Amino acid sequence: LLLFGVAGTSFWGQILIGRGFQLLTAAKASAINFTQVVYSYLFGLLWLSEHITMWGAFGSALIAAGVLLVNMRPKAAAGDGGGK
């Protein structure tokens, strides 16, 4: 029964990730997709009694900063041509 639960949540998780990639720009969607690493790190800390490491905290902070920077970047105008 547990195996079916894992398979079902994995399946629907992939469906929702795919839908997110359809709705967002590639830069935003891939940046948000990287947060899976941070969530799995936090899951390990909270429920699996893992210990915080300097590298784990540093990597999580870098990922979070990257996601914030990508999503805060102003959009270029539609006819701008990328500023060239």
Side-chain angles (χ1 to χ4, degrees), residues 1-78:
L1 186 61
L2 180 63
L3 182 61
F4 289 118
V6 169
T9 56
S10 297
F11 173 77
W12 285 108
Q14 288 298 318
I15 294 294
L16 293 173
I17 287 173
R19 184 65 180 146
F21 274 110
Q22 289 176 344
L23 297 174
L24 295 174
T25 63
K28 285 188 178 188
S30 61
I32 292 171
N33 195 29
F34 278 122
T35 61
Q36 290 181 27
V37 177
V38 177
Y39 292 135
S40 62
Y41 185 65
L42 290 173
F43 178 84
L45 291 174
L46 295 174
W47 286 287
L48 301 177
S49 301
E50 293 181 358
H51 301 286
I52 292 178
T53 64
M54 179 185 68
W55 291 111
F58 181 68
S60 296
L62 280 178
I63 291 170
V67 169
L68 288 174
L69 288 174
V70 166
N71 287 309
M72 288 176 26
R73 184 175 50 187
K75 291 183 182 181

